[in-house]
Amino acid sequence: MTAIFPESRPDSGRSPLERLCHRTKARDEVMTPRVKKRLAARCSGGLWAWLLCMAAALPAGQALAAYDQLYLTAPDVSSCSAGRIQSEEGRRVLEVVNEIRRLHGLGEVGWDPQAEEATQQAALMLALNRRLSHTPSADWVCHSPAGVQGAATSNLHLSVAPSEFDPRPSTDMVVGFLTDVRNRHAGDVGHRRWLLDPFLKRVAFGRVGLVLDGGVQVDAAALSVVSPVAPQDGPTRGNIHADHLAWPSGNYPQKYFHPDAYLSFSAVVDPYDRAANMAVDYREAQVSLRRPDGRTLPVSQLRFDLQPVGLPNHLQFRAEGIEPDVEYEAVIQGVRVEGVARDYRYRFRITP
């Protein structure tokens, strides 16, 4: 854990109590009334407890110079202002999202300006609190209704390092959501499921990079993937024409694949009604993966669910030994769709 006040700082000549008072007073001067009111109930229990709580509650964050080109308006931690990213940054993220969706026969999504503030505020909250949560509690620093909404409706990313590092391209975060190999819930590919949701209409993206006390660098991002259907959308219809959705599928670029990732499959029952796609039973499903020479790859860790995460039926498995530029045939047998037994076949090749 990084010390709150490293001895190398200019206030190192002060006593511990003086350092706490000095730092806390500096933070108090830049706190907005809204933040002061929220922290008043949180920080109590005597002078030392109050000082320590206040010092830890509001990290003295600074927007990183390396992120300057990312922002149209840089974040301002003192006022809990999340800032705003450049429209070009959002465009790059949207392009990669749609390139990935096209690989799966999914329709393109549009940009959601109504979700921009929510995703940016969510990113600020994640960065300042150095925590990942889709349900941030009221005691989070810079807690806001917009941030709570963004956290609840977005794929979330957080990187924390003890020293400065070069920021990754925002598009790398989208690829991370797709492969989901670094999901903090091991074996969960929920980020991928939302990204490949046939019923997804629009997205927005927010990102905040800061240096906190002790030189700790944090990089947080939110990609909105859940949004209400707008009146102009007409009847809800998924943007897919095939009878299944698989990852990977077809000629699949290696940059969008990871050998440690779970492969996944969902049956498409009804492209007009999301809930109707729950009428799938994988309890007797069997999966095999074959090379062109007929040899099969070991398949393990078969899991399935009917959770309302993207398309609400999901089968996933691990396959060992997938090589680039080799075409594989996946065969999924024993699936029951609306009570009727069905088998599925599809091919994929990881292309360099």
Side-chain angles (χ1 to χ4, degrees), residues 160-244:
V160 181
S163 58
E164 290 193 23
F165 55 85
D166 292 332
R168 299 164 54 196
S170 296
T171 51
D172 282 5
M173 297 176 182
V174 178
V175 177
F177 292 143
L178 178 68
T179 63
D180 246 349
V181 292
R182 291 183 175 85
N183 193 319
R184 66 171 180 162
H185 300 293
D188 190 325
V189 295
H191 300 111
R192 180 194 304 166
R193 293 173 66 174
W194 284 119
L195 195 62
L196 300 182
D197 179 10
F199 294 89
L200 183 62
K201 301 296 183 184
R202 56 189 69 85
V203 299
F205 181 78
R207 184 176 179 185
V208 171
L210 300 171
V211 173
L212 304 181
D213 273 337
V216 174
Q217 180 170 328
V218 290
D219 190 349
L223 176 71
S224 67
V225 288
V226 182
S227 59
V229 178
Q232 66 269 22
D233 288 338
T236 300
R237 185 185 190 282
N239 291 315
I240 191 168
H241 302 288
D243 63 358
H244 68 275

Side-chain angles (χ1 to χ4, degrees), residues 128-188:
L128 283 175
N129 293 276
R130 286 182 271 184
R131 294 165 63 188
L132 272 175
S133 175
H134 290 292
T135 56
S137 56
D139 64 347
W140 276 40
V141 179
C142 290
H143 181 278
S144 68
V148 170
Q149 178 187 353
T153 57
S154 301
N155 284 346
L156 305 176
H157 166 90
L158 178 65
S159 297
V160 181
S163 58
E164 290 193 23
F165 55 85
D166 292 332
R168 299 164 54 196
S170 296
T171 51
D172 282 5
M173 297 176 182
V174 178
V175 177
F177 292 143
L178 178 68
T179 63
D180 246 349
V181 292
R182 291 183 175 85
N183 193 319
R184 66 171 180 162
H185 300 293
D188 190 325

Side-chain angles (χ1 to χ4, degrees), residues 325-337:
D325 214 23
V326 174
E327 185 178 68
Y328 296 91
E329 181 184 41
V331 180
I332 301 178
Q333 299 173 297
V335 181
R336 299 191 73 84
V337 178

